[in-house]
């Protein structure tokens, strides 16, 4: 991507189902680092968890508490949301961000900590709702929960 002179890198993992206009909607925000919204499950059990975590507004960015979104409806409606952690699943990076950030391929959440250290904000568009194909072949949707094939 860098040697070809592209302005953005759009990373989509093999187990993510995108809405048809995901790239167009993420690009429209004109930010350096933005993710679509997707959910997953831990390796055991059926508890759903978001792959985007917000700072608890009472403690501010860098505060001691993190607000995990329990339901897709808990996100502010129609807004770009500042987050502190996202996975690689549906991720758009500007060229500048891609040049400065280091990625650990073994754990896609921890790289998020590097984003503010390099001077960027990390955003999630909760309206770009992606399906996440899970370990047993079902698809986890932010707005529908677990859907079995």
């Amino acid at each position: 991507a860098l040697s070809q002179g592209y302005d953005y890198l759009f990373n989509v993992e093999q187990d993510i189902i995108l809405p048809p206009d995901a790239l167009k909607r993420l690009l429209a925000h004109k930010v350096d680092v933005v993710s679509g919204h997707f959910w997953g499950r831990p390796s055991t059990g059926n508890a759903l968890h978001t792959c985007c975590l917000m700072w608890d507004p009472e403690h501010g960015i860098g505060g001691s508490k993190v607000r995990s979104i329990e339901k897709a409806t808990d996100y502010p409606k129609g807004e770009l949301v500042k987050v502190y952690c996202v996975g690689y699943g549906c991720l758009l990076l500007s060229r500048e961000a891609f040049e400065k950030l280091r990625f650990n391929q073994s754990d896609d959440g921890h790289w998020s900590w590097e984003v503010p250290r390099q001077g960027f904000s990390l955003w999630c568009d909760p309206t770009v709702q992606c399906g996440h194909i899970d370990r047993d072949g079902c698809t986890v949707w932010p707005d529908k929960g677990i859907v079995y094939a």
Side-chain angles (χ1 to χ4, degrees):
L2 294 176
S3 65
Q4 297 298 313
Y6 292 108
D7 295 326
Y8 288 89
L9 172 74
F10 187 39
N11 188 78
V12 179
E13 290 183 336
Q14 76 281 1
D15 58 353
I16 296 294
I17 301 169
L18 297 175
D21 60 350
L23 178 58
K24 180 179 176 182
R25 289 165 55 197
L26 294 175
L27 278 167
H29 294 302
K30 299 184 187 314
V31 295
D32 290 299
V33 185
V34 62
S35 175
H37 185 217
F38 57 98
W39 289 60
R41 291 189 294 174
S43 58
T44 59
N46 286 323
L48 298 179
H49 64 88
T50 182
C51 295
C52 299
L53 297 175
M54 291 174 56
W55 289 109
D56 183 327
E58 293 180 18
H59 296 89
I61 300 295
S64 61
K65 293 189 179 182
V66 170
R67 179 176 167 207
S68 178
I69 302 302
E70 301 301 324
K71 304 181 297 247
T73 55
D74 290 342
Y75 275 107
K77 294 287 182 234
E79 294 181 29
L80 195 60
V81 179
K82 194 173 216 177
V83 294
Y84 99 100
C85 183
V86 299
Y88 295 146
C90 172
L91 183 66
L92 181 67
L93 298 166
S94 71
R95 179 182 184 86
E96 182 181 359
F98 186 59
E99 289 174 336
K100 290 184 179 179
L101 295 169
R102 293 179 179 246
F103 296 92
N104 177 348
Q105 293 184 10
S106 64
D107 185 356
D108 63 352
H110 287 102
W111 77 274
S112 298
W113 299 335
E114 193 64 23
V115 174
R117 289 184 191 137
Q118 295 299 326
F120 301 104
S121 293
L122 184 57
W123 300 94
C124 175
D125 183 338
T127 70
V128 178
Q129 296 202 5
C130 306
H132 193 181
I133 301 170
D134 206 19
R135 64 183 179 274
D136 56 3
C138 68
T139 303
V140 178
W141 292 92
D143 58 343
K144 300 174 194 153
I146 300 172
V147 177
Y148 293 92

